[in-house]
Amino acid sequence: EVQLLESGGGLVQPGGSLRLSCAASGFTFRNYVMSWVRQAPGKGLEWISGISESGGNTYYLDSVKGRFTISRDNSKNTLFLQMTSLTAEDTAVYYCAKFVWGEDFDHWGQGTLVAVSS
Amino acid sequence: DIQMTQSPSSLSASVGDRVTITCRASEGIVNYLAWFQQKPGKAPKSLIYAASSLHSGVPSRFSGSGGGTHFTLTISSLQPEDFATYYCQQYKSYPFTFGPGTKVDIK
């Protein structure tokens, strides 16, 4: 059974940093593109970043480019999102999602809440 | 970036009703279109990919159609567990983009 388990969320002050993790199991992690998608309170879904199978290619939404860094450790089946210079607009539930070529996202984690506030 | 729009933004329907939601892309995306269902406080659930293919385990009352810039999600006979918000999303090119969502609630 595919499982994606996010962790690392919490309350952080504006300008602060946070590192999210997504532990994957139930599939061959190194063979799949992964993404982070977020959802601000009461708002819709927003894709923010993706990473290729090897980690050699990364993609970002313009609003997080230069502040967020996606990475992965295929030896530990874990996806990461390093977030810096956080603002209130980054407050959201952050989901990791498994991407299948031709099929888009087929599995999602349960999400982790990031709250940016003083 | 490719912009996605959905209509309506919300609808009220009864159990057994046929429901159709429309999604439009700002440019052609072939059939790189997915639909997701989300219930309050829960992660999204993947319903349809490639515009019309159902993910494993998705009931056959859900169907998708379309191509290019115009797509639809149809629920043939609405069930109590289908009351939720539905999102379309293009995955033709980065940044992947979602529609604003359509909330389906009980009439």
Side-chain angles (χ1 to χ4, degrees):
Chain A
E1 177 192 4
V2 171
Q3 290 196 341
L4 299 169
L5 185 62
E6 301 95 338
S7 61
L11 177 64
V12 60
Q13 292 189 336
S17 300
L18 213 54
R19 189 195 200 200
L20 306 183
S21 299
C22 171
S25 61
F27 65 103
T28 306
F29 179 72
R30 65 178 179 272
N31 289 350
Y32 291 91
V33 171
M34 298 293 295
S35 275
W36 288 97
V37 175
R38 69 182 179 184
Q39 186 170 36
K43 303 297 184 182
L45 300 168
E46 181 177 56
W47 175 91
I48 57 170
S49 187
I51 188 167
S52 63
E53 296 89 335
S54 67
N57 292 300
T58 57
Y59 309 89
Y60 298 94
L61 187 66
D62 280 350
S63 62
V64 308
K65 200 174 295 182
R67 299 189 301 122
F68 291 10
T69 302
I70 190 171
S71 62
R72 63 193 297 163
D73 184 340
N74 286 344
S75 69
K76 296 183 178 178
N77 295 338
T78 304
L79 176 72
F80 302 101
L81 186 68
Q82 178 69 49
M83 304 185 295
T84 64
S85 303
L86 287 163
T87 73
E89 286 66 44
D90 298 314
T91 293
V93 174
Y94 285 73
Y95 298 100
C96 65
K98 170 177 169 279
F99 180 83
V100 178
W101 286 108
E103 295 187 15
D104 198 47
F105 302 124
D106 67 343
H107 287 88
W108 297 68
Q110 86 292 344
T112 186
L113 176 62
V114 172
V116 184
S117 174
S118 55
Chain B
D1 299 357
I2 299 173
Q3 307 302 316
M4 307 300 292
T5 58
Q6 285 181 237
S7 61
S9 57
S10 65
L11 65 91
S12 296
S14 301
V15 172
D17 284 353
R18 181 181 181 89
V19 168
T20 299
I21 299 169
T22 296
C23 175
R24 292 185 184 271
S26 61
E27 62 184 76
I29 57 171
V30 194
N31 69 335
Y32 294 101
L33 190 283
W35 289 96
F36 302 92
Q37 176 193 67
Q38 189 180 34
K39 297 180 180 180
K42 300 295 186 181
K45 175 185 176 182
S46 302
L47 295 178
I48 287 172
Y49 63 93
S52 61
S53 297
L54 264 61
H55 277 286
S56 175
V58 174
S60 59
R61 63 181 179 272
F62 290 92
S63 65
S65 65
T69 62
H70 185 208
F71 303 87
T72 60
L73 171 69
T74 299
I75 309 172
S76 60
S77 178
L78 200 65
Q79 297 302 299
E81 60 269 30
D82 301 337
F83 291 97
T85 299
Y86 294 84
Y87 296 92
C88 64
Q89 177 238 333
Q90 68 80 20
Y91 55 103
K92 179 179 181 291
S93 62
Y94 287 115
F96 294 165
T97 43
F98 290 86
T102 295
K103 185 177 181 180
V104 177
D105 61 22
I106 302 172
K107 182 184 287 185

